[in-house]
Amino acid sequence: MKALLILFLFAQAQLFLASMAFGYRCRQARFVMGTVARVEVWQRDEASCQIALETAFAQIKMVDQLMSNFKPDSDLARINQQGAISPVKVDPLTFKAIALSLDYSRLTHGAFDITVGPLVEAWGFYSGQPSFPSKAELRTRLALVGYEAIELDPKASTVFLAKRGMKLDLGGIAKGFALDQAAQALANLGVSTAMLDLGGNLYFLGEPVQGSLWKAALVDGRNLDLIRILLDIKGGAVASSAAYERFFEWEGKRYGHIIDPGQGRPAWGLLSATVIAPLATQADALSTALYVMGLDQGLRLLERLAEVEAILVTEDSTVRTSSGLECVTPEKAEGKLRCTISPKNSTYPGSGRAPN
Ligand code: AMP
Ligand code: MG
Protein backbone atom coordinates (compact mmCIF):
# COMPACT_ATOMS: atom_id res chain seq x y z
CA MET A 1 0.00 0.00 0.00
CA LYS A 2 2.76 2.37 0.93
CA ALA A 3 4.64 1.65 -2.26
CA LEU A 4 1.49 2.32 -4.25
CA LEU A 5 0.97 5.62 -2.51
CA ILE A 6 4.52 6.70 -3.14
CA LEU A 7 4.09 5.82 -6.77
CA PHE A 8 0.84 7.76 -6.85
CA LEU A 9 2.44 10.78 -5.20
CA PHE A 10 5.34 10.52 -7.59
CA ALA A 11 2.89 10.49 -10.49
CA GLN A 12 1.16 13.55 -9.05
CA ALA A 13 4.47 15.33 -8.68
CA GLN A 14 5.36 14.45 -12.26
CA LEU A 15 2.07 15.85 -13.48
CA PHE A 16 2.58 19.01 -11.48
CA LEU A 17 6.09 19.40 -12.81
CA ALA A 18 4.85 18.82 -16.34
CA SER A 19 2.21 21.51 -16.03
CA MET A 20 4.78 23.87 -14.49
CA ALA A 21 7.28 23.18 -17.23
CA PHE A 22 4.80 23.52 -20.09
CA GLY A 23 2.58 26.17 -18.57
CA TYR A 24 2.85 28.44 -21.54
CA ARG A 25 2.94 27.89 -25.28
CA CYS A 26 3.92 30.61 -27.72
CA ARG A 27 4.34 30.51 -31.47
CA GLN A 28 5.13 32.81 -34.31
CA ALA A 29 5.64 32.74 -38.08
CA ARG A 30 8.06 35.04 -39.90
CA PHE A 31 9.26 35.31 -43.47
CA VAL A 32 12.96 34.49 -43.62
CA MET A 33 15.32 32.56 -45.95
CA GLY A 34 12.83 33.10 -48.77
CA THR A 35 10.18 31.09 -46.96
CA VAL A 36 7.93 31.00 -43.91
CA ALA A 37 9.56 29.99 -40.63
CA ARG A 38 7.29 28.79 -37.83
CA VAL A 39 8.53 28.34 -34.28
CA GLU A 40 6.43 26.95 -31.45
CA VAL A 41 7.83 26.73 -27.93
CA TRP A 42 6.54 25.44 -24.59
CA GLN A 43 7.93 27.30 -21.59
CA ARG A 44 7.20 28.13 -17.96
CA ASP A 45 5.81 31.60 -18.58
CA GLU A 46 5.11 34.13 -21.27
CA ALA A 47 8.31 36.15 -20.83
CA SER A 48 10.67 33.19 -21.17
CA CYS A 49 8.60 31.87 -24.06
CA GLN A 50 8.96 35.16 -25.97
CA ILE A 51 12.72 35.22 -25.30
CA ALA A 52 12.95 31.68 -26.69
CA LEU A 53 11.06 32.67 -29.86
CA GLU A 54 13.30 35.70 -30.43
CA THR A 55 16.41 33.56 -29.87
CA ALA A 56 15.31 30.94 -32.40
CA PHE A 57 14.44 33.52 -35.08
CA ALA A 58 17.71 35.39 -34.45
CA GLN A 59 19.67 32.20 -35.21
CA ILE A 60 17.75 31.58 -38.42
CA LYS A 61 18.25 35.18 -39.52
CA MET A 62 21.97 34.97 -38.78
CA VAL A 63 22.39 31.86 -40.93
CA ASP A 64 20.46 33.61 -43.71
CA GLN A 65 22.69 36.67 -43.51
CA LEU A 66 25.82 34.54 -43.75
CA MET A 67 24.76 31.98 -46.33
CA SER A 68 22.14 33.55 -48.57
CA ASN A 69 22.63 33.24 -52.33
CA PHE A 70 20.80 36.49 -52.76
CA LYS A 71 22.28 38.89 -50.16
CA PRO A 72 25.22 40.77 -51.74
CA ASP A 73 27.11 41.06 -48.42
CA SER A 74 26.72 37.44 -47.26
CA ASP A 75 29.79 35.24 -46.73
CA LEU A 76 28.54 33.18 -49.64
CA ALA A 77 28.39 36.19 -51.99
CA ARG A 78 31.96 37.13 -50.99
CA ILE A 79 33.17 33.58 -51.65
CA ASN A 80 31.49 33.57 -55.05
CA GLN A 81 32.99 36.96 -56.00
CA GLN A 82 36.48 36.61 -54.52
CA GLY A 83 36.98 32.93 -53.79
CA ALA A 84 38.84 32.07 -56.97
CA ILE A 85 41.17 35.06 -56.60
CA SER A 86 42.26 34.52 -53.03
CA PRO A 87 41.05 32.60 -49.95
CA VAL A 88 38.06 34.32 -48.32
CA LYS A 89 37.85 34.48 -44.54
CA VAL A 90 34.39 33.49 -43.35
CA ASP A 91 32.42 33.20 -40.14
CA PRO A 92 33.01 29.88 -38.32
CA LEU A 93 29.36 28.97 -38.96
CA THR A 94 29.73 29.39 -42.72
CA PHE A 95 32.92 27.36 -42.55
CA LYS A 96 31.11 24.60 -40.64
CA ALA A 97 28.20 24.53 -43.12
CA ILE A 98 30.60 24.22 -46.07
CA ALA A 99 32.68 21.55 -44.32
CA LEU A 100 29.51 19.56 -43.58
CA SER A 101 28.42 19.97 -47.21
CA LEU A 102 31.69 18.39 -48.32
CA ASP A 103 31.07 15.46 -45.95
CA TYR A 104 27.67 14.91 -47.59
CA SER A 105 29.21 15.18 -51.07
CA ARG A 106 31.65 12.41 -50.22
CA LEU A 107 28.94 10.30 -48.59
CA THR A 108 26.64 10.60 -51.61
CA HIS A 109 29.39 10.33 -54.25
CA GLY A 110 28.72 13.84 -55.45
CA ALA A 111 24.91 13.70 -55.68
CA PHE A 112 24.91 16.47 -53.08
CA ASP A 113 27.26 19.17 -54.31
CA ILE A 114 27.16 22.85 -53.35
CA THR A 115 29.22 23.76 -56.43
CA VAL A 116 26.07 23.37 -58.58
CA GLY A 117 25.66 27.18 -58.56
CA PRO A 118 26.65 27.70 -62.25
CA LEU A 119 24.13 25.02 -63.30
CA VAL A 120 21.28 26.35 -61.13
CA GLU A 121 22.00 29.73 -62.73
CA ALA A 122 22.14 28.33 -66.29
CA TRP A 123 18.73 26.72 -65.88
CA GLY A 124 17.38 30.12 -64.77
CA PHE A 125 16.40 29.18 -61.22
CA TYR A 126 18.07 32.25 -59.67
CA SER A 127 16.39 34.76 -61.98
CA GLY A 128 13.04 32.98 -61.73
CA GLN A 129 12.98 32.73 -65.53
CA PRO A 130 13.83 29.10 -66.24
CA SER A 131 15.30 28.23 -69.62
CA PHE A 132 17.17 25.50 -71.47
CA PRO A 133 20.92 26.07 -71.63
CA SER A 134 22.58 25.15 -74.92
CA LYS A 135 24.79 22.03 -75.04
CA ALA A 136 27.90 24.22 -75.27
CA GLU A 137 26.81 26.25 -72.28
CA LEU A 138 26.09 23.10 -70.25
CA ARG A 139 29.59 21.79 -71.05
CA THR A 140 31.18 25.05 -69.90
CA ARG A 141 29.14 25.10 -66.70
CA LEU A 142 29.70 21.42 -65.93
CA ALA A 143 33.45 22.05 -66.00
CA LEU A 144 32.94 24.42 -63.05
CA VAL A 145 31.12 21.85 -60.93
CA GLY A 146 32.89 19.54 -58.51
CA TYR A 147 33.21 19.76 -54.74
CA GLU A 148 36.86 18.61 -54.85
CA ALA A 149 37.76 22.11 -56.04
CA ILE A 150 36.70 23.71 -52.75
CA GLU A 151 39.75 24.24 -50.54
CA LEU A 152 39.16 24.80 -46.84
CA ASP A 153 41.69 26.02 -44.32
CA PRO A 154 40.28 25.35 -40.84
CA LYS A 155 43.03 27.27 -39.03
CA ALA A 156 42.48 30.46 -41.02
CA SER A 157 38.72 29.81 -41.48
CA THR A 158 39.07 30.49 -45.21
CA VAL A 159 37.45 29.13 -48.35
CA PHE A 160 39.22 29.03 -51.69
CA LEU A 161 37.67 28.02 -55.03
CA ALA A 162 40.21 26.40 -57.33
CA LYS A 163 38.42 27.35 -60.58
CA ARG A 164 37.45 30.81 -61.72
CA GLY A 165 33.69 31.01 -62.34
CA MET A 166 32.80 28.48 -59.62
CA LYS A 167 29.75 29.41 -57.53
CA LEU A 168 28.63 27.83 -54.28
CA ASP A 169 24.95 27.37 -53.47
CA LEU A 170 23.96 26.37 -49.94
CA GLY A 171 20.24 26.21 -50.78
CA GLY A 172 20.20 22.46 -50.26
CA ILE A 173 21.51 22.53 -46.68
CA ALA A 174 21.24 26.02 -45.15
CA LYS A 175 17.67 25.65 -43.87
CA GLY A 176 18.52 22.46 -42.03
CA PHE A 177 21.69 24.05 -40.69
CA ALA A 178 19.68 27.06 -39.47
CA LEU A 179 17.20 24.75 -37.73
CA ASP A 180 19.98 22.94 -35.88
CA GLN A 181 21.43 26.29 -34.78
CA ALA A 182 18.02 27.46 -33.58
CA ALA A 183 17.27 24.18 -31.78
CA GLN A 184 20.66 24.24 -30.07
CA ALA A 185 20.09 27.83 -28.92
CA LEU A 186 16.68 26.84 -27.52
CA ALA A 187 18.20 23.89 -25.67
CA ASN A 188 20.88 26.21 -24.24
CA LEU A 189 18.06 28.37 -22.87
CA GLY A 190 16.64 25.35 -21.12
CA VAL A 191 13.74 24.82 -23.54
CA SER A 192 12.88 21.15 -23.53
CA THR A 193 9.96 21.11 -25.98
CA ALA A 194 9.75 22.99 -29.28
CA MET A 195 8.73 22.55 -32.86
CA LEU A 196 10.36 24.40 -35.76
CA ASP A 197 9.31 24.51 -39.40
CA LEU A 198 11.43 26.26 -41.98
CA GLY A 199 9.79 25.99 -45.37
CA GLY A 200 8.97 22.32 -44.92
CA ASN A 201 12.13 21.40 -43.00
CA LEU A 202 10.93 20.31 -39.58
CA TYR A 203 12.70 19.88 -36.27
CA PHE A 204 11.07 18.48 -33.12
CA LEU A 205 12.94 19.18 -29.89
CA GLY A 206 12.16 16.93 -26.95
CA GLU A 207 8.89 15.09 -26.55
CA PRO A 208 5.50 16.58 -27.39
CA VAL A 209 3.37 17.84 -24.52
CA GLN A 210 0.48 15.59 -25.48
CA GLY A 211 1.10 12.00 -26.44
CA SER A 212 4.54 10.57 -26.93
CA LEU A 213 4.96 11.13 -30.67
CA TRP A 214 5.19 14.19 -32.90
CA LYS A 215 3.10 14.11 -36.04
CA ALA A 216 4.21 15.28 -39.46
CA ALA A 217 2.04 15.23 -42.58
CA LEU A 218 3.47 14.85 -46.07
CA VAL A 219 1.42 16.22 -48.94
CA ASP A 220 0.91 14.60 -52.32
CA GLY A 221 3.47 15.77 -54.89
CA ARG A 222 0.77 16.38 -57.50
CA ASN A 223 -1.89 17.82 -55.25
CA LEU A 224 -0.49 19.95 -52.49
CA ASP A 225 -3.87 20.13 -50.74
CA LEU A 226 -3.91 16.38 -50.20
CA ILE A 227 -2.17 14.80 -47.21
CA ARG A 228 -0.88 11.46 -48.35
CA ILE A 229 1.52 10.23 -45.67
CA LEU A 230 1.47 10.67 -41.90
CA LEU A 231 4.60 10.30 -39.88
CA ASP A 232 4.77 9.69 -36.12
CA ILE A 233 8.21 10.28 -34.61
CA LYS A 234 9.68 10.74 -31.17
CA GLY A 235 11.78 13.72 -32.18
CA GLY A 236 14.48 14.91 -34.53
CA ALA A 237 14.22 16.23 -38.07
CA VAL A 238 12.14 15.65 -41.19
CA ALA A 239 12.98 17.23 -44.54
CA SER A 240 11.47 16.81 -48.00
CA SER A 241 12.99 17.57 -51.36
CA ALA A 242 10.77 17.82 -54.39
CA ALA A 243 10.35 19.75 -57.58
CA TYR A 244 6.74 20.70 -57.05
CA GLU A 245 7.37 24.19 -55.78
CA ARG A 246 10.17 25.44 -58.01
CA PHE A 247 9.96 24.01 -61.50
CA PHE A 248 8.99 24.74 -65.07
CA GLU A 249 7.16 22.54 -67.51
CA TRP A 250 8.12 21.95 -71.11
CA GLU A 251 6.30 19.59 -73.46
CA GLY A 252 4.63 17.85 -70.53
CA LYS A 253 7.84 17.26 -68.58
CA ARG A 254 8.82 18.89 -65.29
CA TYR A 255 12.21 20.51 -64.83
CA GLY A 256 12.89 21.24 -61.18
CA HIS A 257 15.46 23.21 -59.20
CA ILE A 258 17.40 20.19 -57.91
CA ILE A 259 20.22 19.51 -60.31
CA ASP A 260 22.00 16.23 -60.97
CA PRO A 261 25.62 17.45 -60.78
CA GLY A 262 26.84 14.55 -62.92
CA GLN A 263 24.47 15.28 -65.81
CA GLY A 264 24.12 19.03 -65.44
CA ARG A 265 20.33 18.68 -65.70
CA PRO A 266 17.40 18.80 -63.30
CA ALA A 267 17.20 15.45 -61.53
CA TRP A 268 14.30 13.28 -62.63
CA GLY A 269 12.65 10.09 -61.40
CA LEU A 270 11.36 10.90 -57.92
CA LEU A 271 8.38 13.02 -57.04
CA SER A 272 9.74 13.55 -53.54
CA ALA A 273 12.38 12.35 -51.10
CA THR A 274 11.64 12.72 -47.39
CA VAL A 275 14.31 12.05 -44.80
CA ILE A 276 13.90 11.46 -41.07
CA ALA A 277 17.16 11.98 -39.18
CA PRO A 278 18.43 13.09 -35.77
CA LEU A 279 19.73 16.40 -37.14
CA ALA A 280 18.07 18.86 -39.51
CA THR A 281 21.30 19.47 -41.44
CA GLN A 282 21.51 15.74 -42.12
CA ALA A 283 17.85 15.51 -43.18
CA ASP A 284 18.14 18.56 -45.47
CA ALA A 285 21.34 17.53 -47.26
CA LEU A 286 20.33 13.90 -47.60
CA SER A 287 16.83 14.63 -48.92
CA THR A 288 18.39 16.72 -51.70
CA ALA A 289 20.94 13.98 -52.39
CA LEU A 290 18.34 11.18 -52.45
CA TYR A 291 16.19 13.19 -54.85
CA VAL A 292 19.18 13.24 -57.21
CA MET A 293 20.19 9.60 -56.63
CA GLY A 294 16.75 8.18 -57.33
CA LEU A 295 15.10 5.06 -55.99
CA ASP A 296 17.61 2.22 -56.31
CA GLN A 297 20.80 4.08 -55.55
CA GLY A 298 19.00 6.03 -52.81
CA LEU A 299 17.70 2.92 -51.03
CA ARG A 300 21.15 1.34 -51.18
CA LEU A 301 22.68 4.39 -49.50
CA LEU A 302 19.95 4.43 -46.85
CA GLU A 303 20.68 0.89 -45.77
CA ARG A 304 24.24 1.98 -44.94
CA LEU A 305 23.07 4.91 -42.77
CA ALA A 306 21.96 3.56 -39.43
CA GLU A 307 20.33 6.71 -38.05
CA VAL A 308 18.58 7.84 -41.22
CA GLU A 309 15.20 6.73 -42.59
CA ALA A 310 13.40 7.90 -45.70
CA ILE A 311 10.23 7.83 -47.76
CA LEU A 312 10.76 8.01 -51.50
CA VAL A 313 7.86 8.63 -53.90
CA THR A 314 8.46 7.89 -57.57
CA GLU A 315 7.06 9.83 -60.54
CA ASP A 316 4.37 7.15 -60.91
CA SER A 317 3.41 7.70 -57.23
CA THR A 318 4.85 4.44 -55.90
CA VAL A 319 5.94 4.87 -52.28
CA ARG A 320 9.07 3.11 -51.01
CA THR A 321 10.37 3.33 -47.46
CA SER A 322 13.70 2.46 -45.86
CA SER A 323 13.79 -0.68 -43.76
CA GLY A 324 13.82 1.06 -40.35
CA LEU A 325 10.31 2.46 -40.87
CA GLU A 326 7.10 0.62 -40.12
CA CYS A 327 4.09 1.69 -42.17
CA VAL A 328 0.38 0.89 -42.11
CA THR A 329 -1.22 0.80 -45.53
CA PRO A 330 -3.77 3.46 -46.57
CA GLU A 331 -6.68 0.98 -46.34
CA LYS A 332 -6.05 0.68 -42.62
CA ALA A 333 -5.30 4.37 -41.91
CA GLU A 334 -8.07 6.52 -43.41
CA GLY A 335 -6.61 6.52 -46.90
CA LYS A 336 -3.17 7.65 -45.76
CA LEU A 337 0.07 5.78 -45.40
CA ARG A 338 0.99 6.03 -41.71
CA CYS A 339 4.63 5.45 -40.83
CA THR A 340 6.68 5.41 -37.69
CA ILE A 341 10.22 4.43 -36.72
CA SER A 342 10.07 0.68 -36.23
CA PRO A 343 10.34 -0.39 -32.58
CA LYS A 344 12.93 -2.90 -33.82
CA ASN A 345 15.06 -0.02 -35.07
CA SER A 346 17.33 0.61 -32.14
CA THR A 347 19.69 2.88 -34.07
CA TYR A 348 17.37 5.88 -34.35
CA PRO A 349 18.10 7.93 -31.22
CA GLY A 350 14.44 8.64 -30.56
CA SER A 351 13.44 11.77 -28.76
CA GLY A 352 14.83 14.94 -30.28
CA ARG A 353 18.04 15.54 -28.48
CA ALA A 354 19.56 18.96 -28.88
CA PRO A 355 21.96 19.18 -31.82
CA ASN A 356 25.55 20.16 -31.15
P1 AMP B 1 16.25 21.29 -51.20
O1 AMP B 1 14.92 21.95 -51.37
O2 AMP B 1 16.76 21.24 -49.80
O3 AMP B 1 16.32 19.95 -51.86
O4 AMP B 1 17.32 22.23 -51.92
C1 AMP B 1 17.24 22.55 -53.28
C2 AMP B 1 18.20 23.67 -53.56
O5 AMP B 1 19.55 23.22 -53.38
C3 AMP B 1 18.13 24.18 -54.98
O6 AMP B 1 17.18 25.21 -55.12
C4 AMP B 1 19.55 24.68 -55.20
O7 AMP B 1 19.71 25.95 -54.60
C5 AMP B 1 20.40 23.68 -54.42
N1 AMP B 1 20.77 22.49 -55.19
C6 AMP B 1 20.28 22.06 -56.39
N2 AMP B 1 20.85 20.89 -56.75
C7 AMP B 1 21.70 20.56 -55.75
C8 AMP B 1 22.59 19.46 -55.54
N3 AMP B 1 22.69 18.45 -56.40
N4 AMP B 1 23.35 19.46 -54.40
C9 AMP B 1 23.26 20.47 -53.51
N5 AMP B 1 22.43 21.52 -53.65
C10 AMP B 1 21.66 21.56 -54.75
MG1 MG C 1 17.97 19.87 -48.86
Side-chain angles (χ1 to χ4, degrees):
M1 181 68 203
K2 196 172 174 197
L4 229 164
L5 194 67
I6 291 168
L7 262 180
F8 179 68
L9 280 177
F10 184 68
Q12 290 279 37
Q14 288 254 357
L15 269 180
F16 181 61
L17 278 177
S19 64
M20 288 279 290
F22 304 126
Y24 198 87
R25 179 187 70 165
C26 56
R27 55 183 162 175
Q28 219 177 78
R30 292 185 192 169
F31 194 78
V32 60
M33 296 185 96
T35 188
V36 179
R38 292 190 179 82
V39 181
E40 193 162 338
V41 172
W42 284 261
Q43 269 290 57
R44 283 175 305 280
D45 51 57
E46 184 176 358
S48 53
C49 212
Q50 291 302 332
I51 290 172
L53 281 185
E54 289 304 329
T55 305
F57 281 116
Q59 291 293 323
I60 296 171
K61 199 169 164 200
M62 181 170 66
V63 171
D64 188 28
Q65 261 153 4
L66 292 171
M67 302 177 207
S68 164
N69 291 335
F70 301 99
K71 291 193 164 42
D73 55 349
S74 70
D75 272 359
L76 205 79
R78 289 193 304 112
I79 296 168
N80 288 342
Q81 280 154 22
Q82 299 291 320
I85 301 165
S86 61
V88 174
K89 192 167 178 64
V90 294
D91 186 277
L93 278 185
T94 311
F95 191 90
K96 186 175 172 193
I98 295 174
L100 284 171
S101 298
L102 295 184
D103 290 344
Y104 288 110
S105 293
R106 288 185 278 264
L107 182 70
T108 63
H109 305 292
F112 184 84
D113 191 333
I114 57 170
T115 65
V116 288
L119 291 169
V120 181
E121 185 179 45
W123 285 90
F125 287 107
Y126 291 142
S127 63
Q129 290 168 328
S131 60
F132 280 94
S134 67
K135 276 197 174 137
E137 168 128 44
L138 264 189
R139 249 196 318 275
T140 316
R141 303 264 174 164
L142 262 171
L144 298 171
V145 175
Y147 63 93
E148 297 91 345
I150 301 176
E151 295 174 16
L152 297 183
D153 181 342
K155 278 210 187 92
S157 192
T158 59
V159 182
F160 180 65
L161 306 178
K163 295 179 200 165
R164 196 164 285 226
M166 277 177 78
K167 274 199 175 82
L168 306 190
D169 177 338
L170 289 170
I173 194 169
K175 291 193 185 79
F177 189 83
L179 280 186
D180 283 338
Q181 286 302 123
Q184 181 62 60
L186 288 176
N188 291 347
L189 279 180
V191 173
S192 54
T193 305
M195 191 171 79
L196 302 99
D197 171 359
L198 188 48
N201 288 261
L202 308 177
Y203 188 84
F204 301 107
L205 177 69
E207 286 192 14
V209 173
Q210 280 176 344
S212 59
L213 297 171
W214 293 98
K215 294 180 189 339
L218 312 182
V219 292
D220 186 285
R222 298 196 199 281
N223 176 3
L224 301 189
D225 294 328
L226 182 72
I227 293 177
R228 193 153 178 235
I229 301 171
L230 294 171
L231 204 57
D232 298 304
I233 57 165
K234 276 191 176 166
V238 182
S240 285
S241 284
Y244 41 73
E245 276 177 341
R246 286 174 68 201
F247 68 94
F248 67 96
E249 252 168 334
W250 181 255
E251 294 182 347
K253 200 172 157 173
R254 267 177 201 227
Y255 296 85
H257 62 128
I258 302 173
I259 307 287
D260 180 343
Q263 302 294 319
R265 304 172 175 281
W268 201 86
L270 289 181
L271 206 52
S272 65
T274 298
V275 171
I276 305 120
L279 297 177
T281 309
Q282 226 174 0
D284 193 0
L286 288 175
S287 66
T288 307
L290 288 172
Y291 187 87
V292 172
M293 295 170 97
L295 194 63
D296 296 333
Q297 219 190 330
L299 287 173
R300 271 200 299 277
L301 171 71
L302 284 163
E303 296 317 309
R304 284 176 36 220
L305 304 177
E307 290 189 330
V308 179
E309 302 301 337
I311 301 171
L312 306 178
V313 184
T314 62
E315 281 285 341
D316 64 4
S317 292
T318 307
V319 181
R320 294 285 302 273
T321 58
S322 56
S323 60
L325 284 180
E326 213 166 75
C327 300
V328 179
T329 53
E331 298 74 49
K332 292 184 188 151
E334 295 159 15
K336 298 170 189 22
L337 187 72
R338 184 157 209 149
C339 299
T340 190
I341 304 282
S342 163
K344 287 177 236 135
N345 178 357
S346 57
T347 49
Y348 191 83
S351 66
R353 63 180 183 205
N356 48 41

